[in-house]
Amino acid sequence: MFFLITVPVEARGQSIRVSGSSTVMPLAEISAEEFNILQNDYRVIVDSGGSGVGIVNVVEGRSAIAMTSRELHLVERQRYETPKKRFNVTTVGYDAICLIVSREVYNSGVTNLTKEEVRRIYSGSISNWKELGGPDRGIFAIGRKPGSGTRDTFDEIIMGSRESETPGVRYEAAESAEIKTAIQKSDNAIGYVGYSYIMRGDSNVISLDGVPPSIENIKNGSYPLSREFYFITLGRPSQGAQAFIDFVLSAEGQRIAIENGFIPAFLQIPPLEAL
C-alpha cells in the first residue's frame, strides 16, 4: 500500500531538512528513505547534532523539523516562543536509555544495578567494579556531551537534575554509536545508549532496579529510563514538514518503525484496511 500525498506542483522536489538527536536519527532516516521513494514532491534530508542543536536549527531556519529525545526546556520556550509563534511538539515514538557494560564486567556477574549504584558510579563515589561484585578493575564511565537529550534525561532521572555534575565520567561521547563502540573495545566500561542501539544483540545490557529494558517494560513505564521521541517545529509545520510527520505517524510509517526495532508512538496499530 502506498502513502499518497497531494501537494501543489510548485512544491515538487522541495528539500525538507530534519536535524537533532542522534538517538532519534535512525528512526527519521529509515522513515525518510521510504518517504522519499513513495513520493516525488518532497525530499527529506536528515542530520544529527544533538537535541539542542536541532531546536536551534529550527529556530534559525536551517531545519524544518527538530528531532529530540527530551522535552523542551523552559528556557528554550522562554527564549524562542512568541505569542504568535509557539513550538509544535509531536510524539513519534518511545525509547529507553539502556545501560551497557563491557563483556568482562557482565560475565563477572554485574547484570543489574540500582539507580543509586549508577548515580554513585557517575558521581565518582564508586570507582571499582569489585564494589559491585565485579572484577577488580577501575570503572571507565562514559557519558554524553552537553546538548544531548539522552544526557539530559539520564542526568535528570539518575543524577536528580539536568544540571548535575558527573565527576565519575572518564569520557564524553558525541553519539550513542560512539559509546557502543568504545564499550565493545574496553574491558571495564559502562555507558548509556538509546534502545535502537541494542537491537542487534551485540551489547551487554544490564537491568536497572531489577527491570530489563524490554519493549513491554518501556511501554508500561516500569523501566525507569523510559522516554519519548519528538518531532518539533516552531509554529505550524510547513506543508512538507507536515507531510513527513503525517507519514511517520501513519500505519505504514509506524510499521516501518516496528520492523526496524523502534517502538511506535501508538501502542496499538490498527490494520491498514481499517484506516
Side-chain angles (χ1 to χ4, degrees):
M1 177 177 178
F2 290 94
F3 184 84
L4 300 178
I5 302 169
T6 302
V7 295
V9 174
E10 61 267 25
R12 187 171 297 278
Q14 179 183 351
S15 294
I16 305 300
R17 294 192 172 273
V18 180
S19 65
S21 168
S22 65
T23 310
V24 184
M25 188 174 83
L27 172 60
E29 283 183 321
I30 59 174
S31 300
E33 182 177 349
E34 190 72 11
F35 179 77
N36 291 340
I37 291 172
L38 295 179
Q39 50 78 53
N40 296 314
D41 301 300
Y42 303 109
R43 181 167 184 79
V44 175
I45 302 167
V46 182
D47 297 305
S48 61
S51 297
V53 170
I55 292 167
V56 172
N57 284 346
V58 162
V59 170
E60 296 183 352
R62 290 190 292 271
S63 297
I65 300 172
M67 309 173 287
T68 76
S69 56
R70 61 164 172 82
E71 296 182 353
L72 284 159
H73 294 165
L74 177 60
V75 68
E76 290 168 331
R77 289 191 179 278
Q78 292 173 334
R79 182 178 299 165
Y80 301 127
E81 287 187 329
T82 68
K84 294 184 177 180
K85 186 168 286 190
R86 306 184 70 81
F87 284 111
N88 185 291
V89 181
T90 303
T91 298
V92 295
Y94 291 90
D95 183 43
I97 299 173
C98 304
L99 292 161
I100 58 177
V101 296
S102 300
R103 184 190 305 114
E104 291 81 357
V105 174
Y106 189 89
N107 289 344
S108 73
V110 181
T111 59
N112 174 72
L113 292 173
T114 66
K115 283 191 291 185
E116 175 62 16
E117 288 169 336
V118 176
R119 186 193 68 77
R120 292 182 64 194
I121 288 172
Y122 278 82
S123 67
S125 63
I126 293 179
S127 58
N128 193 299
W129 285 114
K130 69 179 180 180
E131 299 176 65
L132 299 167
D136 187 7
R137 292 175 183 166
I139 299 175
F140 189 81
I142 304 174
R144 290 289 300 275
K145 291 184 177 179
S148 160
T150 301
R151 171 175 168 157
D152 284 348
T153 302
F154 177 87
D155 285 351
E156 184 171 10
I157 296 175
I158 298 296
M159 307 304 295
S161 168
R162 291 171 179 165
E163 288 73 40
S164 295
E165 297 292 329
T166 52
V169 170
R170 303 284 297 280
Y171 177 72
E172 290 183 341
E175 299 184 346
S176 288
E178 185 181 354
I179 291 179
K180 181 175 177 178
T181 299
I183 289 176
Q184 288 175 335
K185 293 181 177 180
S186 174
D187 64 0
N188 65 336
I190 183 173
Y192 50 89
V193 298
Y195 180 80
S196 65
Y197 288 88
I198 68 168
M199 288 304 299
R200 291 185 179 180
D202 55 352
S203 296
N204 297 286
V205 185
I206 63 175
S207 298
L208 185 60
D209 284 340
V211 182
S214 66
I215 290 178
E216 180 181 0
N217 292 336
I218 294 166
K219 285 182 176 180
N220 64 31
S222 61
Y223 180 70
L225 282 171
S226 300
R227 60 179 175 173
E228 296 182 31
F229 281 163
Y230 304 101
F231 278 180
I232 296 176
T233 64
L234 184 59
R236 290 184 63 180
S238 67
Q239 201 167 15
Q242 188 64 62
F244 182 55
I245 292 170
D246 288 345
F247 174 73
V248 172
L249 295 179
S250 72
E252 188 171 351
Q254 295 284 282
R255 288 181 191 277
I256 291 171
I258 292 172
E259 289 170 2
N260 287 273
F262 294 96
I263 304 170
F266 302 117
L267 303 188
Q268 297 293 331
I269 300 177
L272 288 174
E273 294 78 13
L275 299 179

